[in-house]
């Protein structure tokens, strides 16, 4: 199963549309998909005692691959997505595949840093990141079209988990 995680608090908007298109591509290959909206969960900000909601952590563990979509707020991913990444528990992440999508309005400032934040999360959690996708109003339609194909590629890759052998491999 490929899990799409919508970090935007606004359902149906640009982040959601991009994630939906990716999951449609994955689904076209026969892979099961599921979408989770972070806004539907009580995702706490990080302290040493906090944990992501159990259901959300369980979904991430059950998934063969993750797609994280996050809007850009003030030059980086939004706080809700960051809180999720700080608190989620994924004990079996080594070798899963991941795709990160960041979307910025206006001039598109912050896109690179935002997508970098998602891939930093992947790196530290030992998730194999593919095809970083920064999106703005200037490339939205192109990204929407391309993410269908990327979803298909992610589905193919997710059929075989490829754990990292060591830090050098990662």
């Amino acid at each position: 199963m490929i899990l799409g995680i919508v970090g935007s608090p606004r359902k149906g908007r640009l982040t959601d549309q991009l994630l939906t298109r990716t999951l449609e591509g994955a689904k076209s290959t026969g892979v099961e998909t599921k979408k989770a909206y972070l806004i539907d969960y009580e995702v706490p900000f990080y302290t040493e005692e906090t944990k992501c909601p159990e259901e959300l952590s369980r979904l991430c563990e059950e998934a063969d691959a993750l797609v994280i979509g996050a809007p850009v707020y003030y030059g980086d991913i939004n706080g809700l997505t960051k809180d999720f990444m700080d608190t989620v528990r994924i004990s079996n992440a080594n070798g899963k595949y991941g795709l990160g999508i960041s979307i910025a309005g206006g001039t598109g400032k912050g896109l690179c840093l935002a997508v970098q934040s998602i891939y930093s999360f992947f790196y530290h959690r030992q998730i194999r990141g593919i095809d970083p996708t920064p999106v703005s109003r200037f490339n939205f339609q192109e990204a929407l079209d391309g993410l269908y194909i990327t979803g298909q590629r992610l589905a193919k890759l997710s059929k075989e988990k490829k754990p990292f052998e060591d830090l050098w491999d990662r």
Side-chain angles (χ1 to χ4, degrees):
M1 181 258 300
I2 295 179
L3 177 63
I5 299 165
V6 181
S8 174
R10 301 179 333 163
K11 294 181 181 181
R13 300 301 301 245
L14 300 179
T15 305
D16 193 4
Q17 291 171 34
L18 292 162
L19 224 98
T20 297
R21 189 68 176 149
T22 307
L23 295 179
E24 287 170 355
K27 199 171 200 167
S28 75
T29 69
V31 170
E32 180 187 350
T33 64
K34 185 168 181 64
K35 192 187 312 181
Y37 294 93
L38 294 181
I39 196 69
D40 290 342
Y41 297 89
E42 294 288 328
V43 179
F45 62 88
Y46 178 79
T47 68
E48 289 184 26
E49 296 83 34
T50 59
K51 292 182 184 176
C52 189
E54 193 61 40
E55 179 185 350
L56 199 49
S57 289
R58 182 183 49 76
L59 285 171
C60 290
E61 289 206 356
E62 290 173 358
D64 298 311
L66 301 174
V67 182
I68 298 176
V72 175
Y73 289 4
Y74 298 100
D76 204 347
I77 59 172
N78 65 327
L80 180 59
T81 305
K82 179 69 169 100
D83 290 341
F84 160 75
M85 293 188 317
D86 285 342
T87 60
V88 68
R89 304 284 190 252
I90 313 173
S91 64
N92 64 347
N94 187 9
K96 286 186 185 199
Y97 284 88
L99 170 67
I101 305 166
S102 63
I103 175 80
T107 63
K109 289 181 180 176
L111 277 174
C112 292
L113 185 55
V115 85
Q116 238 179 346
S117 291
I118 297 169
Y119 282 79
S120 179
F121 167 77
F122 289 161
Y123 172 80
H124 289 286
R125 295 298 179 100
Q126 298 178 313
I127 296 171
R128 290 188 180 274
I130 67 162
D131 303 343
T133 310
V135 183
S136 73
R137 63 187 169 113
F138 302 110
N139 71 333
F140 182 81
Q141 192 57 52
E142 180 184 326
L144 202 58
D145 296 339
L147 282 169
Y148 187 86
I149 295 165
T150 302
Q152 292 174 323
R153 180 170 175 254
L154 184 63
K156 181 180 176 188
L157 290 169
S158 72
K159 291 179 182 176
E160 186 177 328
K161 194 172 174 181
K162 188 178 173 190
F164 291 99
E165 292 179 24
D166 52 32
L167 189 58
W168 183 257
D169 184 32
R170 188 167 45 156

